[in-house]
Amino acid sequence: MIKKTFAFVLATLILASLHPAEAQQAKKVPTIGIPSTGSTAAVYEPFIQGLRELGYVQGKNIFVEYRYAEGKPDRLAELAAELVQLEVDVIFAGSTPPALAAKKATQTIPIVFAGASDPLGSGLVASLARPGGNITGLSLVPGLEIIGKQLELLKESLPKLRSVAALADTANIPTSGFLTEAKLAARSLGVQLQPQNVRDPNEFDGAFSAIKKGRTDALLVIASPMFNNIANRSRIISFATSNRLPAMYPYSDFVNAGGLVSYGPNLPDLFRRAATYVDKILKGAKPADLPVEQPTKFELVINLKTAKQIGVTIPQSMLYRADNEATENFGLRF
C-alpha cells in the first residue's frame, strides 16, 4: 500500500512539473498586422528596430504580417479586413489612411498609429488625452500650425518670396485642414499661395505643368503618405530640382534624397517609439488608457549641395539655426 501511494505521488509530481513546459509551448506568439499604402517593408524598419530593442525577435516571440496597397489607398479597407480575419493581436498603421481603414475594420483589435497628421480632425480618436476605443499612437505634428512654421522658414530662406505653389494630396483627409492653415499663414506673410491638388500619381504631370505656368517662386509640399512613397518622392524632388524651384518638404527623407529644405518631426523616431505602445498593449494595457503622444522635437534640415545646384543662397541665419542642436534637432546636408 505504501509503495502504491508513493508511486501515485511521484507520478503526480512528474505531471505537475511538465505542465508549465507544456503551457509555455502552447503559448501563442503574438502577431502584428501592418496595412501599408506602399509596397515595401523598408519604411517600417525603425518600428521593427524598436521592437528588437524591447526584446522582440521576428519569428521567435513575435510575428509581423504585412499587407501592401501598392500605392492604391482604396485597397486599404480590404487589407485591414484581411488582418482582422487573421486575428492579429495588434495592428500598426504608419499614417492616417491605414489607421482609418483599420478602425473601420475592427472595434476590438488594438490599433497603434504613428505619423497620423491630425488624429482628432480625422476622427481617429475622441481625445488626445483619452483616445477611447481600441486605438492610440503618436501624432505626426503638434497641430496644423506646423504648416505656418514651414512657410515662415521658406520665407526666411528666400526673403524675396512672393508666391508659393502648394502641392496637396486632397485624397488625404488631413490635407484640407493643412491647406486652410497654409492660406492663413501665407496671407500673414504677404505671400500668395497657389494650391495644386493631386489625388493619385497620375495627376502629378498636370500639377507640375500648372506650377510651371504659374511661375511661382517656391514649392511647399504638404505632408501625405502618397508623397512619401519613394517613387513619388523622387518625382517631386526631380521636378523641383530640374526647374530650379526651391522647395520646403515635410520630412528629412526628402532632403536626404536631394530636396532643398525640410522642417518637421523625425519619422523614423516616431516609428521606433510606436514600438513601446505595442509592447504595453501586448503586456495588457488598453489603447483607450494610453494618451496620444505628440512630437516635441523637430528638425530643420538643409541640403547645401541642392542649394548650390539650383542657384539658391541660404541666409546665414538659417544656416546657423540648422547647425544649432542646442534646443532642437537640426542638421545640415553637404
Side-chain angles (χ1 to χ4, degrees):
M1 184 69 179
I2 295 175
K3 289 182 179 180
K4 288 183 179 180
T5 303
F6 176 77
F8 175 77
V9 172
L10 181 61
T12 301
L13 289 172
I14 292 172
L15 288 172
S17 67
L18 290 175
H19 284 169
E22 291 172 355
Q24 189 173 10
Q25 289 175 1
K27 186 176 180 181
K28 180 177 179 286
V29 175
T31 300
I32 301 171
I34 302 182
S36 172
T37 55
S39 57
T40 175
V43 69
Y44 299 100
E45 180 54 33
F47 172 68
I48 301 301
Q49 177 60 35
L51 290 174
R52 287 195 208 102
E53 292 169 359
L54 293 167
Y56 294 96
V57 180
Q58 166 73 329
K60 184 177 180 181
N61 59 355
I62 198 79
F63 289 120
V64 180
E65 285 282 346
Y66 294 96
R67 291 294 183 275
Y68 302 112
E70 305 288 346
K72 300 176 181 177
D74 56 330
R75 292 194 57 216
L76 287 170
E78 169 195 344
L79 302 181
E82 282 185 23
L83 293 171
V84 171
Q85 288 179 349
L86 284 175
E87 298 183 349
V88 298
D89 297 275
V90 181
I91 294 177
F92 173 65
S95 61
T96 303
L100 286 171
K103 185 181 180 183
K104 290 179 182 178
T106 178
Q107 295 181 346
T108 55
I109 296 176
I111 301 166
V112 174
F113 58 78
S117 300
D118 185 10
L120 278 175
S122 62
L124 280 174
V125 296
S127 162
L128 297 181
R130 298 180 180 276
N134 61 321
I135 186 167
T136 188
L138 297 97
S139 173
L140 180 63
V141 295
L144 299 175
E145 63 271 11
I146 192 172
I147 205 79
K149 184 66 174 180
Q150 290 170 345
L151 275 172
E152 179 186 323
L153 290 168
L154 192 57
K155 174 80 171 178
E156 186 176 339
S157 301
L158 307 163
K160 295 182 180 180
L161 183 68
R162 293 292 178 267
S163 63
V164 178
L167 193 65
D169 171 15
T170 51
N172 188 35
I173 291 177
T175 295
S176 60
F178 280 117
L179 272 176
T180 299
E181 189 69 23
K183 290 173 184 176
L184 292 173
R187 192 178 303 132
S188 67
L189 292 169
V191 173
Q192 181 186 6
L193 193 75
Q194 299 181 23
Q196 291 299 330
N197 301 333
V198 177
R199 295 183 63 86
D200 65 66
N202 294 326
E203 297 181 1
F204 274 123
D205 289 341
F208 292 159
S209 178
I211 292 172
K212 288 173 68 175
K213 290 179 181 178
R215 298 183 180 278
T216 56
D217 300 321
L219 174 66
L220 172 69
V221 179
I222 296 178
S224 159
M226 180 176 70
F227 295 163
N228 205 40
N229 171 276
I230 294 176
N232 295 335
R233 183 198 310 160
S234 296
R235 289 180 67 182
I236 296 169
I237 294 171
S238 177
F239 164 74
T241 303
S242 61
N243 287 278
R244 300 170 69 86
L245 190 64
M248 166 65 75
Y249 300 98
Y251 320 122
S252 60
D253 289 352
F254 286 86
V255 179
N256 294 336
L260 177 63
V261 59
S262 68
Y263 179 77
N266 186 296
L267 273 180
D269 180 59
L270 289 179
F271 276 38
R272 187 164 48 250
R273 283 156 51 198
T276 63
Y277 276 71
V278 171
D279 178 53
K280 289 177 182 178
I281 289 170
L282 291 177
K283 290 177 178 176
K286 296 180 180 179
D289 299 330
L290 299 175
V292 174
E293 186 177 332
Q294 295 178 288
T296 56
K297 291 185 177 181
F298 301 85
E299 31 174 38
L300 171 64
V301 185
I302 300 170
N303 191 320
L304 297 180
K305 182 179 178 180
T306 300
K308 183 177 181 180
Q309 184 177 353
I310 65 175
V312 170
T313 301
I314 303 296
Q316 191 62 42
S317 60
M318 281 283 288
L319 296 178
Y320 174 77
R321 293 181 64 181
D323 198 34
N324 179 7
E325 299 185 11
T327 56
E328 296 182 88
N329 185 18
F330 294 126
L332 294 171
R333 300 288 184 269
F334 295 91

